[in-house]
Structure formats: C-alpha cells, structure tokens
Amino acid sequence: MHDEVNKLKAEINQLKSQSQNIARILAQMGEAANIGYWEVEISTGRIYWSSKTHEILGTDPETFSPQVGDGLKFVSPIYQAIITSHYSELVEKNIPSDVELQIIRADKQVPWVRATGRIVLNPDRTKLAYGTFQEIHQQKLVSIERDSLDERLKLILDTFNIGFWDWTISTDELIWNEPMFRLFGVKPSEFNNHFSGWAKTVHPDDVESTSKEATEAIQHSKYFNSSFRILHPEEGIRYIRGSAIIIRDESGKPIRLQGINYDVTQEKEVENKLRMLEALVNASPDIFGIATPKGEVLFLNKTAQLYGWTEYKSLGDIFPVDSIAKYASEIFPVLKEKGHWNGEVMFRDPNAETDFPVHQHSFLLRNHEGKTMAVATIATDLREKKKIEKVLEEQRIKMVQASKMTSLGEMAGGMAHEINNPLAIIKGNVALLEMQCSDSQPDMQQLRKSLTTIDLTVDRIAAIIKALRSFAKDGSQDPLIEIPVAPMIENTLNFFRNRIASANVKLTLDIQIPSLIILARQTQISQALANLLSNAFEAAKVSAKPEIVIEILRRDSHVLIKVIDSGEGIPE
C-alpha cells in the first residue's frame, strides 16, 4: 500500500512537472507574441512571472522575486478594487477574468495592459491560477480616441439633427441612426430597412432624379451629393441635403454607401428669398450697390452696370472728386453715428463722361456683433426728374402769371374806381384854373392851391399804377428789403376796397404795432396777401354775415399776417 501511494505521488509530481513544463512552453510562446505569463499556486502561494511580465511591470527578474500581494501593488488605485473582485471570483467561483486596466510600473510609467486569468486543477486537486499579461497602451489610446471621436460625432449628429445612414448594395439593407427617423418623420417600427423605405418618404417629383444621381455616383464617382424634397408627415415639404462616400472592394466594385442627411429647408427658403430679392433689385430702375468700408465695390445691380460700372472696383470710378470729398467730410461721419444717410450727390457716368445728380440712401450692413461689414447704397438718377421739374417750374410760373392777370382783371373795377376819383379831382381843379385864367385878376392863392391838389392827385394815381405794375411782375428774383407792414397792406387793399364795399362785406384791419417792419420781397408778399384777400372775399360775400378781418401780430422775431373770413371753410 505504501509503495502504491509513493508511486501515485511520483506520477502526480511527474504530471505536475509536465504541466509546469507546458506552462513554461506556453509562456515562451507568449514571449514571442509579446505576451507575459503568470501563475499562482493557490495552496502554497507560489508565484511565477515570465520575463515578459517582468518587462511589462518594469521589474528585474534577477533581483525581484514576486510575493503574494505584489501584483496588486502595481495596479493603479483606480482599478485595485476591480482586480481584487475579479481575482476572488476567479479563485472562489472559477469565473474566468479578462480586464483592461492601468498599471504603475516600477519606473512610474502608467501604461494600459490586458490581464486574463483562468483556474486549472493540478493532478493533486490543488488549484493553479494562471493567465496572461499584455501591454496594450498604444492600442488602448487609439481605442479611447476612437470612442471619443464616436461620442463627439454622435453628439454633433444629435445636436444638429444630422442623420447617418449605411446602405449595403448587395443585400439592399439600409440602416438609419436615430436622427434619421426624426428627420424624415418615420417611426423605426414602420421602416423596412430597404431603399424602398427611403423612397416612400421622398417627394414623388424627386425620387427618379435623386435615384439617378445615386446610380451615376455609384458607377463613376467616389462621392454622392444631392438635394431633394421629402414629405414629412407633420411638417409637410422639407428640403434635405445628402452626402455619401461610395465604398468599393479590392476590385473597385461598389459594395456600400455611407452618408449623412440634414434639413436645409430654412437655407432653401433664404435662397429663394435672395433669388427673388436679386430679381427685384436687378429689375429696379434705381442703382443698387454694396461696398466694403474701404471703398471696394462688392455688388452692383444691372441698372448700375448699364452705366459702365463693374464690381470689385474703387468708389473713385463711380464718384467724382467733389462727391468723394463729401463722403469723407459729411456722409461717412453721419453713417458712423446714425447708421444711415439720405441726400443728393453727384455720380460719374463713364459712358457719357459726365457727372449727374442722384438722390442717395446709404446704410450700414452689420454682423451679429454689430461690426460694420459693408455699406449698401440705393440711388435714383435725378436727371429726368430735374428736367421735369424745370418744365413744371416754367409752367408754374406761367400759371402764376396767368392767375395774376386774372386777378388783375377782377381788380379792374376797383382800380377804375380808385383812378376815376383822382381824375375827377384833377378835372375839377382844371376847370377852376380855366376860370381863374379867364379873369383879368386871377386869385394866385387859389391857383397855387389847385395846382398843388392836381400834383398830389397825380402822385396818388402814379402810386396806384406803380402798385399795379409791381403786382403784375415776377418778383422771385427781387432782393430782400425792409418793408413797413402797414403801408404795404394799405397799398394791397387799394385793389379790393371797391369790390369789398360794393358787396357789403365788412372789412376790419387790426394792426397792433403800426411801425412793424419785415424783411421780404415786396412783390411776393403783396401777391401772397392779394391771393388771400381774393379767396377771403369770394368766401365771405356768400356768407350770412360777410366779414373779412386782417390781423397783424408779432411772434418773437417773426410777423404773423392773418386773413380771416366769415365763409364756411373747406369741407372735411
């Protein structure tokens, strides 16, 4: 019996030795594969590290002999609890271990490693824990960076609602990420994961053209880019832009497409508005232009280009020297302060080689930070307008003159009365002179009195005629002179007193300060007053209590002349 036991022990030791030899061979094979090997006899605590394990941990196998617990000392504190748990489960429950962790080498470097562990029963039924130890630092860094990129990509795709898709051509399998379903308004449960599922969401008018673009890209290109419309179940028609890369096998055969989709509806709407705006701007007869703050022309509409101007030129090609000086001294300071400017300037017509007037409206174009990016200008050519204004002014002057002639005709009765009275006086005094001359002893005092009366009466007639001539002429170019207000009003009233009296219209003249003097053109002020009196007379004469009141008031440094009548006024 004793011999059998000894024989059995010998066989067990032989098997154990063979097992250890096998382990050593595996460890050597691992060394060649840059993989370390370790083992622990659970019952005795014996520990073995291969030379590669020592190398990974930064220890010298000649001077360092690992003991129980030494392995944990090299584990980063962050992972010590995890390794302890894995080792306990390995020993107690025979659960294999495979974990990635960071270690702290003897030289304080902190690489990533992969540690595996298994349990095997020795022939004597004792447990042997063994495993591998492999440095994976570079691979792990790459993996971490890849995972980080994946997370960042996912964040970007989710944040900006960018859909990602993957289509395998041979199997027609189409895979969408979550944003794709939101983008197209499709529930994952209702999507068939095929090309036809995508086609159902596309606007019927765009299915054929977009499919054709994809086919041509697959056959001839490396990339696929397209824009198309979809029929979103809740939001209606939406514009989608798609970009993809065609993946080919070694023979160049296309096998997959991977791409993204994103909503460009707002961009399309802006493009359409800009297109309409551009058409409107180009159809306008006005000049539209945009220039940088430094004066480089960025945009000119078609009207501006008809003048011979071109884009990316200096403002000096558009504006004459005087206008450029005005820009520097007047326009730019106002633009900087208020953001806009309106006024008349001169432009240069390179085709006609002449300067011409325009009415210009300029305003600043700023970015979201308030920084000036450009200056926009809208200008209207005033040449035709100036011609029309000149013609209208000439016609206006003729109409004014005609109106004055009409007024003169209306005043004729009053003027006849005003002149007839002095003429009667002259005639009477002439008769007296004749009588005195026929007398042998004429009364010299009476003669002198008659002559004086005739002289004063002639002056009165001359003043009336002078006032009439003054009223009839164009006084727009007369110089400004000091005019006594009271005499000016009296002279103008001489044209109307007879008409006013004959129509039984009460006339009241209220001059608060008789000595008032104004600075004006006498002809124009007389004509204006005459027009007011004529209108007042026409309105007052048909009223129940016809009356005209003239008030002369002083308002600070101005004189106010009011003509008030008893007429009904202008109906609202």
Side-chain angles (χ1 to χ4, degrees):
M1 182 71 178
H2 181 71
D3 293 338
E4 291 179 359
V5 171
N6 289 335
K7 184 179 180 180
L8 183 59
K9 286 182 178 181
E11 291 177 356
I12 290 173
N13 289 332
Q14 185 179 2
L15 289 172
K16 185 183 292 187
S17 178
Q18 291 175 353
S19 176
Q20 292 174 350
N21 289 334
I22 293 172
R24 299 298 188 275
I25 294 171
L26 291 174
Q28 291 175 1
M29 294 174 62
E31 298 282 333
N34 206 31
I35 299 174
Y37 174 81
W38 62 269
E39 63 181 34
V40 177
E41 283 191 358
I42 306 302
S43 59
T44 64
R46 182 190 60 80
I47 298 175
Y48 170 76
W49 288 357
S50 69
S51 59
K52 178 56 70 174
T53 300
H54 278 284
E55 180 183 332
I56 293 172
L57 292 171
T59 57
D60 184 354
E62 298 294 333
T63 60
F64 183 83
S65 178
Q67 304 298 317
V68 176
D70 283 348
L72 191 62
K73 294 177 182 178
F74 289 91
V75 177
S76 170
I78 300 173
Y79 295 95
Q80 285 183 0
I82 297 174
I83 291 299
T84 300
S85 175
H86 275 250
Y87 187 74
S88 298
E89 291 180 346
L90 174 66
V91 174
E92 298 171 5
K93 301 178 182 180
N94 196 22
I95 299 176
S97 174
D98 190 340
V99 63
E100 294 178 353
L101 67 150
Q102 283 181 294
I103 62 171
I104 302 176
R105 286 167 44 95
D107 57 7
K108 305 304 180 183
Q109 295 185 37
V110 187
W112 282 91
V113 298
R114 179 188 179 192
T116 65
R118 298 289 188 274
I119 286 290
V120 67
L121 291 178
N122 287 321
D124 59 359
R125 310 301 294 175
T126 59
K127 290 182 178 181
L128 175 70
Y130 71 97
T132 62
F133 209 58
Q134 180 182 14
E135 181 176 337
I136 58 168
H137 189 69
Q138 293 301 322
Q139 301 95 309
K140 186 64 177 179
L141 291 180
V142 172
S143 176
I144 291 173
E145 181 64 22
R146 183 177 61 249
D147 292 343
S148 176
L149 288 174
D150 289 344
E151 287 298 320
R152 279 181 280 177
L153 178 60
K154 184 177 184 302
L155 177 62
I156 292 172
L157 295 178
D158 290 344
T159 301
F160 295 99
N161 202 30
I162 298 175
F164 175 81
W165 51 270
D166 189 331
W167 180 43
T168 302
I169 299 174
S170 60
T171 61
D172 190 26
E173 181 184 19
L174 181 59
I175 298 174
W176 283 4
N177 70 344
E178 179 59 30
M180 280 290 290
F181 292 101
R182 295 198 303 267
L183 197 63
F184 285 77
V186 176
K187 296 179 180 179
S189 60
E190 298 174 353
F191 187 61
N192 65 5
N193 291 104
H194 294 295
F195 185 86
S196 61
W198 165 82
K200 288 180 181 179
T201 66
V202 179
H203 192 288
D205 294 342
D206 293 351
V207 173
E208 183 178 352
S209 60
T210 307
S211 300
K212 183 178 179 181
E213 289 175 354
T215 301
E216 291 178 351
I218 291 172
Q219 293 176 349
H220 307 293
S221 179
K222 186 178 180 181
Y223 301 102
F224 163 71
N225 292 286
S226 180
S227 294
F228 53 90
R229 293 169 294 173
I230 64 169
L231 298 176
H232 195 284
E234 297 177 358
E235 301 174 9
I237 295 177
R238 308 293 295 178
Y239 288 85
I240 302 295
R241 181 164 295 159
S243 298
I245 184 170
I246 293 91
I247 301 174
R248 304 176 185 275
D249 60 17
E250 295 179 354
S251 66
K253 179 182 178 181
I255 55 176
R256 292 168 66 190
L257 271 74
Q258 289 183 337
I260 58 172
N261 285 160
Y262 50 98
D263 193 315
V264 292
T265 303
Q266 187 175 4
E267 180 182 331
K268 282 290 184 180
E269 290 174 350
V270 171
E271 285 180 1
N272 291 335
K273 289 179 181 178
L274 288 176
R275 194 175 294 111
M276 290 187 289
L277 180 61
E278 183 179 5
L280 178 64
V281 167
N282 282 325
S284 172
D286 289 335
I287 298 165
F288 284 76
I290 298 176
T292 67
K294 294 183 178 180
E296 181 183 11
V297 180
L298 300 177
F299 169 79
L300 291 169
N301 70 336
K302 290 184 177 179
T303 300
Q305 294 175 21
L306 290 175
Y307 287 92
W309 304 323
T310 57
E311 298 172 354
Y312 303 104
K313 294 287 186 179
S314 169
L315 289 177
D317 298 323
I318 297 177
F319 301 112
V321 175
D322 292 344
S323 291
I324 294 177
K326 186 173 183 178
Y327 261 81
S329 63
E330 178 183 338
I331 299 176
F332 280 137
V334 175
L335 276 173
K336 187 176 181 181
E337 178 184 357
K338 298 183 178 180
H340 61 87
W341 181 87
N342 282 288
E344 186 173 319
V345 295
M346 300 296 290
F347 276 15
R348 182 71 180 169
D349 187 340
N351 292 329
E353 295 186 350
T354 58
D355 299 340
F356 63 96
V358 299
H359 181 271
Q360 177 176 315
H361 174 59
S362 294
F363 52 93
L364 300 180
L365 300 177
R366 295 187 171 101
N367 61 13
H368 65 283
E369 297 175 347
K371 181 180 178 182
T372 299
M373 304 301 294
V375 180
T377 293
I378 304 172
T380 302
D381 190 335
L382 296 180
R383 281 179 287 192
E384 289 301 320
K385 182 182 178 183
K386 295 281 186 182
K387 290 179 182 177
I388 294 172
E389 287 178 348
K390 183 178 179 181
V391 172
L392 290 176
E393 180 62 17
E394 292 173 351
Q395 292 178 348
R396 185 193 68 80
I397 293 173
K398 291 179 181 178
M399 290 176 65
V400 169
Q401 288 299 108
S403 176
K404 287 194 291 186
M405 293 303 103
T406 302
S407 296
L408 286 172
E410 294 175 352
M411 295 177 192
M415 289 296 300
H417 177 76
E418 293 295 328
I419 295 177
N420 279 334
N421 285 339
L423 287 176
I425 293 173
I426 292 173
K427 189 173 182 179
N429 280 278
V430 168
L432 289 174
L433 287 173
E434 289 178 346
M435 290 175 59
Q436 290 292 331
C437 290
S438 63
D439 193 343
S440 59
Q441 293 183 346
D443 186 347
M444 298 305 294
Q445 183 176 0
Q446 182 63 42
L447 286 174
R448 291 188 185 94
K449 182 179 180 181
S450 296
L451 288 172
T452 300
T453 300
I454 290 172
D455 185 55
L456 293 173
T457 305
V458 169
D459 288 343
R460 180 183 173 188
I461 293 173
I464 293 172
I465 294 172
K466 181 179 178 181
L468 183 61
R469 291 176 63 189
S470 176
F471 180 83
K473 76 170 187 175
D474 178 15
S476 60
Q477 303 301 319
D478 289 353
L480 295 173
I481 61 174
E482 292 186 347
I483 305 169
V485 177
M488 181 270 296
I489 291 177
E490 287 290 349
N491 289 336
T492 305
L493 279 175
N494 286 336
F495 296 122
F496 295 92
R497 288 187 186 278
N498 186 57
R499 293 171 63 197
I500 292 173
S502 63
N504 294 318
V505 176
K506 181 181 178 181
L507 177 64
T508 302
L509 180 59
D510 182 7
I511 303 178
Q512 295 183 0
I513 305 176
S515 61
L516 280 176
I517 295 177
I518 60 174
L519 186 66
R521 294 183 176 90
Q522 183 162 350
T523 299
Q524 286 188 326
I525 195 70
S526 296
Q527 290 170 356
L529 181 60
N531 287 333
L532 292 174
L533 285 169
S534 179
N535 292 336
F537 172 74
E538 294 299 326
K541 71 180 183 180
V542 295
S543 63
K545 294 182 179 181
E547 181 179 9
I548 297 175
V549 178
I550 301 175
E551 293 182 356
I552 311 298
L553 307 173
R554 182 166 184 169
R555 292 287 186 268
D556 298 327
S557 61
H558 296 79
V559 173
L560 178 63
I561 302 175
K562 298 173 67 176
V563 179
I564 307 168
D565 63 70
S566 58
E568 295 182 356
I570 300 174
E572 295 183 0

